[in-house]
Amino acid sequence: MDCEVVAIGTELLLGQIIDTNSAWIGEQLALHGINCRFQAKVGDNVDRIVSAIRIALDRSDAVICCGGLGPTQDDLTRQALAAVMGVELTFDEDRADLIRWMFRGRNRRMPDNNLTQAYRPAGSEFLETQPGTAPGLRCPVGEGGKQVIYAVPGVPWEMQQMVSVEIIPDLQRRSGVTSVLRSRTLRTWGESESGLAERLSERISELDELGNPTLAFLASGAEGLKVRITAAAPTEEEAVELLAAEEQLLRGLIGDFVFGLDDQTMEAVVLAALRERHLTLAVAESLTGGLLGARLSAVSGASDVFVGGVIAYTAQVKREQLGVPDGPVVSEETAAAMALGVRQRLGADVGLAVTGVAGPTESEGRPVGTVCFGVALGDDVSTFELRLPGNRQAVRELTVISVLDALRRRLTI
Amino acid sequence: MDCEVVAIGTELLLGQIIDTNSAWIGEQLALHGINCRFQAKVGDNVDRIVSAIRIALDRSDAVICCGGLGPTQDDLTRQALAAVMGVELTFDEDRADLIRWMFRGRNRRMPDNNLTQAYRPAGSEFLETQPGTAPGLRCPVGEGGKQVIYAVPGVPWEMQQMVSVEIIPDLQRRSGVTSVLRSRTLRTWGESESGLAERLSERISELDELGNPTLAFLASGAEGLKVRITAAAPTEEEAVELLAAEEQLLRGLIGDFVFGLDDQTMEAVVLAALRERHLTLAVAESLTGGLLGARLSAVSGASDVFVGGVIAYTAQVKREQLGVPDGPVVSEETAAAMALGVRQRLGADVGLAVTGVAGPTESEGRPVGTVCFGVALGDDVSTFELRLPGNRQAVRELTVISVLDALRRRLTI
């Protein structure tokens, strides 16, 4: 089963938007044993969209078109699909009602042109999954519909839901893929890619011999360094067994750096560890300005552990709100006072604090990237200082995962 | 003059690397008046690379191949180009010496396989520009070489130098293009894409007649909705004049929703407006958990305006730290109390507060997406309630830009 991706939008060709959707879809297809040998980008022009889709159909069994399903004049995917199928666009009262209903639910006036989204090529069907106001499409082509074109919106979260929930399972049914591909990702923090590769070098050579399972390193910045295991087997069970055995083996070699699996973020892991111990958490942030709290509260159900925090961006707020003593604010002493102060102030069990120099310029004579951390469990506070690489944004993000990892280690090791 | 981009590398199709090179090249081509109507991604396979290049040559005058020029076995661009040209690869002693010389200059031992990079298709020539150890190629095709294929490495800084210094001028010479293309982006908030399209529909039809300048809508989630004007003219000055005139005209139609231009983010605009008025800002965040402060403090130099805030994630913190009275926390009353409370508490001129339901489940019987805002200028506080679409992440991000826009309007309108 070969499936191509055609990303639609002049803004992609002009480089105004980076096409991350195609990469995400390509990864999902690969993880589910479906080949993606070509991907194309084309602008908002019916003839060129049609020609890009036809070229893809000449080579592959399926095509996923991404983008161009909005309500405006430069959203032309519906027309292009009708042309490829050689049919007219038909108005779907049923889906029109759904769209009207969605706007009502949001107390938003629906501009009339939104109803253009209720048109579909005759013989096609709308995807059931519709997270936003733009419906997705399934268009059978070739005799007996032996080929298929899917159309999804360019909005990432809408696209991702349609692909995961409906399109991938659909493609697997059609392909009758017997051997299943499964993968598991070990998420690590605290060791470089080359460092991990060194620790795993023997096993990597062994796996190069075996050919299955395979390993891949995925550097993911402030999300940590991911080590992905991919295993192929006749059945799901056997694939999962292979993954479990390999995970066991890898943990023996690099377990000290593994903080989570697959979609487990550092913040989710830390919240779970606190929840398990019936501990609540408060944060005090200087250079991160709220980023630490933002990441913690991004996790659903964080509120039973994370009570809140104080963004002490200026020295005055640090002293008045957190009782930080006079002296340099980029110091372990200040980090300790912030962690204890916010914990007591907000009545939490654990206090986490960061202060430092995000840049672009140095501060208090300390270079950009200098960060001090405070971790207070009750009144027992530990502090440390790090020098982080990168620009303002990188320093702020690396600060967040570094201090969370420090708390994780105090709780679990 | 049409020029396509073919990005080469299996890792691109697998989504292990995001293809930012094609976007960058597309932008450069557009800025220099060269059309880029298609872009393709293909894996490390000679036959498929050849077919991707042939398809591009059927449609366009020039092709830029990006990637696959390294020294390893899966670097196959050279072979593919030779196949497309129907010639052999020839060894170039001269370029081999350059490569040897570069390694010596870096005191690095040269692995033998690096000399494979000194092979070029017979009849092609190496690009003069060579920032790294991988040479780029210029391959004439078609009778009298009326078409051309360029090959550049996938390493961004090497690719960018070859494209800017040698390939773009080369393409402009070939096309005899004298016209320049310039664009300007109006960043808007508060009206849907279809709503803006409705307000602009007359002008859009006029421009469709004229053909220059052109308009494009770029939905950018919590970054707002962008309206990009692109103008072509014989000179830079005339292009900029066209842009200025069109901006004027569009502001007359949708100016009420325009908050910034090009790279100006909402947070940067709000901070600038406060700075101009010598006002300081404090934030009180419930459902956003720090995201509002994080976005404000992401702007370099925010600290002269943004003093900090209180992350009041639980009801208890709201009441104890911000003096919020008893009663439902998802309410305009609570938002008002939070805004006034944080402003007084942190001694800021302006207080901004958000409380609401991020999801995944409803709270206090209020549906997901219900958000209440408080904007306190001194003791004069205004509040309002919105119902935002999307999942937890979308609701949180839309909350941040919505409340910042509310403050912007209070300050500037």
Side-chain angles (χ1 to χ4, degrees):
Chain A
M1 163 68 76
D2 282 22
C3 178
E4 302 196 15
V5 180
V6 176
I8 296 162
T10 303
E11 67 275 16
L12 299 173
L13 295 174
L14 292 177
Q16 306 268 358
I17 291 181
I18 303 286
D19 172 30
T20 54
N21 285 342
S22 299
W24 186 88
I25 294 171
E27 181 175 30
Q28 292 304 307
L29 291 171
L31 285 175
H32 294 84
I34 299 155
N35 299 321
C36 183
R37 301 211 153 103
F38 296 92
Q39 295 183 355
K41 278 184 261 178
V42 59
D44 301 313
N45 171 288
V46 172
D47 296 342
R48 291 195 283 271
I49 297 170
V50 168
S51 107
I53 294 173
R54 289 216 169 108
I55 287 167
L57 287 172
D58 287 343
R59 301 180 296 211
S60 299
D61 311 298
V63 180
I64 298 174
C65 296
C66 189
L69 287 179
T72 68
Q73 299 170 347
D74 58 5
D75 289 302
L76 301 168
T77 301
R78 279 176 295 268
Q79 288 90 315
L81 290 172
V84 169
M85 297 170 73
V87 299
E88 294 300 310
L89 286 171
T90 63
F91 186 72
D92 189 305
E93 260 312 334
D94 200 49
R95 193 58 63 125
D97 288 338
L98 175 66
I99 295 170
R100 291 193 192 93
W101 177 84
M102 289 181 122
F103 271 88
R104 271 201 307 277
R106 296 172 189 179
N107 304 317
R108 276 169 56 201
R109 167 184 146 282
M110 184 185 75
D112 300 340
N113 58 5
N114 271 81
L115 286 184
T116 59
Q117 297 178 302
Y119 283 89
R120 55 173 176 73
S124 73
E125 54 185 351
F126 286 116
L127 296 179
E128 279 184 24
T129 316
Q130 186 178 326
T133 53
L137 289 164
R138 181 191 290 104
C139 308
V141 284
E143 80 245 357
K146 69 180 202 314
Q147 291 177 289
V148 60
I149 310 168
Y150 304 93
V152 296
V155 181
W157 69 277
E158 296 181 16
M159 174 279 290
Q160 290 176 9
Q161 197 165 331
M162 290 181 185
V163 170
S164 311
V165 173
E166 206 161 340
I167 296 176
I168 294 275
D170 202 24
L171 286 169
Q172 288 190 303
R173 257 193 311 280
R174 298 175 64 97
S175 66
V177 179
T178 52
S179 93
V180 296
L181 224 68
R182 288 291 177 270
S183 75
R184 181 174 301 176
T185 302
L186 304 188
R187 303 185 62 156
T188 74
W189 186 252
E191 176 61 289
S192 69
E193 179 163 1
S194 49
L196 286 181
E198 223 175 270
R199 294 167 189 271
L200 294 176
S201 55
E202 263 187 47
R203 184 54 182 165
I204 290 171
S205 328
E206 286 170 21
L207 290 176
D208 287 345
E209 296 291 315
L210 293 166
N212 180 43
T214 58
L215 292 190
F217 291 92
L218 312 173
S220 311
E223 288 302 315
L225 182 59
K226 300 174 180 174
V227 181
R228 187 173 65 206
I229 315 164
T230 306
T235 68
E236 164 108 34
E237 293 63 30
E238 292 164 276
V240 171
E241 270 174 34
L242 274 172
L243 291 178
E246 192 61 30
E247 177 187 345
Q248 195 79 26
L249 199 154
L250 295 185
R251 280 185 183 271
L253 299 167
I254 58 170
D256 191 29
F257 305 103
V258 176
F259 68 80
L261 286 180
D262 297 330
D263 296 336
Q264 290 182 307
T265 60
M266 180 68 82
E267 51 272 26
V269 169
V270 167
L271 286 169
L274 289 165
R275 187 174 292 114
E276 213 174 85
R277 292 160 179 75
H278 307 291
L279 297 172
T280 58
L281 172 67
V283 301
E285 310 190 47
S286 181
L287 78 158
T288 49
L291 202 56
L292 176 54
R295 272 189 72 159
L296 287 163
S297 56
V299 181
S300 303
S303 57
D304 60 353
V305 172
F306 178 59
V307 300
V310 172
I311 302 171
Y313 206 57
T314 61
Q316 189 186 354
V317 173
K318 289 183 185 69
R319 308 203 193 291
E320 291 178 3
Q321 300 302 315
L322 297 171
V324 171
D326 291 345
V329 295
V330 181
S331 65
E332 298 190 42
E333 293 65 28
T334 295
M338 289 170 70
L340 289 167
V342 78
R343 187 192 81 67
Q344 286 152 5
R345 197 91 183 211
L346 272 58
D349 303 310
V350 179
L352 216 48
V354 293
T355 178
V357 188
T361 57
E362 64 167 35
S363 153
E364 295 182 346
R366 310 303 305 281
V368 172
T370 309
V371 183
C372 297
F373 303 85
V375 182
L377 270 64
D379 295 333
D380 170 12
V381 63
S382 60
T383 65
F384 58 104
E385 177 175 316
L386 276 184
R387 179 77 176 278
L388 299 170
N391 60 11
R392 183 181 177 90
Q393 185 194 350
V395 167
R396 283 158 47 94
E397 288 176 351
L398 294 172
T399 296
V400 169
I401 189 168
S402 299
V403 72
L404 287 172
D405 192 50
L407 174 55
R408 180 186 70 86
R409 289 172 177 276
R410 271 206 55 188
L411 290 172
T412 59
I413 292 172
Chain B
M1 163 68 73
D2 281 22
C3 178
E4 302 197 15
V5 180
V6 176
I8 296 162
T10 302
E11 69 277 13
L12 299 173
L13 295 175
L14 294 176
Q16 290 169 352
I17 293 180
I18 303 284
D19 171 30
T20 54
N21 286 342
S22 300
W24 186 88
I25 295 171
E27 183 174 29
Q28 292 304 308
L29 291 171
L31 284 175
H32 294 84
I34 298 154
N35 299 320
C36 184
R37 301 212 152 102
F38 296 91
Q39 295 184 356
K41 278 184 261 178
V42 59
D44 302 311
N45 171 287
V46 172
D47 297 341
R48 290 195 283 270
I49 298 171
V50 168
S51 108
I53 294 173
R54 289 215 169 109
I55 287 167
L57 287 173
D58 287 343
R59 300 180 296 211
S60 298
D61 312 298
V63 180
I64 299 174
C65 296
C66 189
L69 288 179
T72 68
Q73 294 150 328
D74 59 5
D75 289 301
L76 302 168
T77 302
R78 279 176 296 269
Q79 288 89 317
L81 290 171
V84 169
M85 297 172 72
V87 300
E88 294 300 310
L89 285 171
T90 64
F91 186 73
D92 188 305
E93 262 310 334
D94 199 49
R95 193 58 61 126
D97 288 337
L98 174 66
I99 295 170
R100 291 193 191 92
W101 176 82
M102 288 182 120
F103 272 89
R104 273 200 308 278
R106 298 173 187 181
N107 302 317
R108 278 168 52 201
R109 179 190 132 277
M110 183 184 77
D112 300 342
N113 60 4
N114 273 80
L115 285 185
T116 59
Q117 298 178 301
Y119 283 89
R120 55 174 176 74
S124 73
E125 55 185 349
F126 286 114
L127 296 179
E128 280 184 23
T129 317
Q130 185 178 326
T133 54
L137 289 163
R138 180 190 292 103
C139 308
V141 285
E143 81 242 359
K146 67 182 202 317
Q147 290 177 288
V148 60
I149 310 169
Y150 304 92
V152 296
V155 182
W157 68 278
E158 295 180 20
M159 174 279 289
Q160 291 176 9
Q161 197 165 331
M162 291 181 185
V163 170
S164 312
V165 174
E166 203 161 343
I167 297 176
I168 294 276
D170 202 25
L171 286 169
Q172 287 191 302
R173 258 193 309 281
R174 297 176 65 96
S175 64
V177 175
T178 52
S179 83
V180 295
L181 223 69
R182 290 292 179 268
S183 74
R184 181 174 302 176
T185 302
L186 304 188
R187 302 185 62 156
T188 76
W189 188 253
E191 177 60 288
S192 68
E193 178 167 0
S194 46
L196 285 182
E198 236 173 52
R199 295 169 189 271
L200 295 176
S201 55
E202 264 187 47
R203 182 55 181 166
I204 290 172
S205 323
E206 286 171 21
L207 291 176
D208 286 346
E209 295 292 314
L210 292 167
N212 180 42
T214 59
L215 292 191
F217 293 92
L218 314 175
S220 311
E223 287 303 314
L225 181 60
K226 301 174 180 174
V227 181
R228 194 188 59 240
I229 314 164
T230 305
T235 68
E236 164 109 33
E237 294 61 31
E238 292 164 277
V240 171
E241 268 174 36
L242 273 172
L243 289 179
E246 192 61 30
E247 177 188 345
Q248 196 77 26
L249 198 155
L250 295 185
R251 281 185 182 272
L253 298 167
I254 58 169
D256 191 28
F257 304 104
V258 176
F259 68 81
L261 286 180
D262 296 331
D263 295 335
Q264 292 181 307
T265 60
M266 179 68 82
E267 51 271 29
V269 168
V270 167
L271 287 169
L274 289 165
R275 186 173 293 114
E276 213 174 86
R277 292 161 179 73
H278 308 291
L279 297 172
T280 58
L281 172 68
V283 300
E285 309 190 47
S286 181
L287 79 157
T288 49
L291 201 57
L292 176 55
R295 269 189 75 159
L296 288 163
S297 56
V299 181
S300 302
S303 56
D304 59 354
V305 172
F306 177 59
V307 301
V310 172
I311 303 171
Y313 207 56
T314 60
Q316 191 187 351
V317 173
K318 289 184 185 68
R319 310 204 191 291
E320 291 178 3
Q321 301 300 315
L322 297 172
V324 171
D326 290 345
V329 296
V330 181
S331 66
E332 298 190 44
E333 294 65 27
T334 295
M338 289 171 70
L340 290 167
V342 80
R343 187 192 80 68
Q344 287 152 5
R345 191 82 179 234
L346 271 58
D349 304 309
V350 179
L352 217 47
V354 293
T355 178
V357 188
T361 55
E362 64 168 34
S363 155
E364 296 182 343
R366 309 304 304 281
V368 173
T370 308
V371 183
C372 297
F373 303 85
V375 181
L377 270 63
D379 295 333
D380 169 12
V381 62
S382 59
T383 65
F384 58 104
E385 178 175 318
L386 274 185
R387 176 82 175 279
L388 299 169
N391 61 8
R392 182 180 177 89
Q393 185 194 347
V395 167
R396 283 158 45 95
E397 289 177 351
L398 294 173
T399 296
V400 169
I401 189 168
S402 298
V403 73
L404 287 172
D405 191 51
L407 173 56
R408 180 186 71 85
R409 290 171 177 277
R410 282 267 318 252
L411 291 172
T412 59
I413 293 172

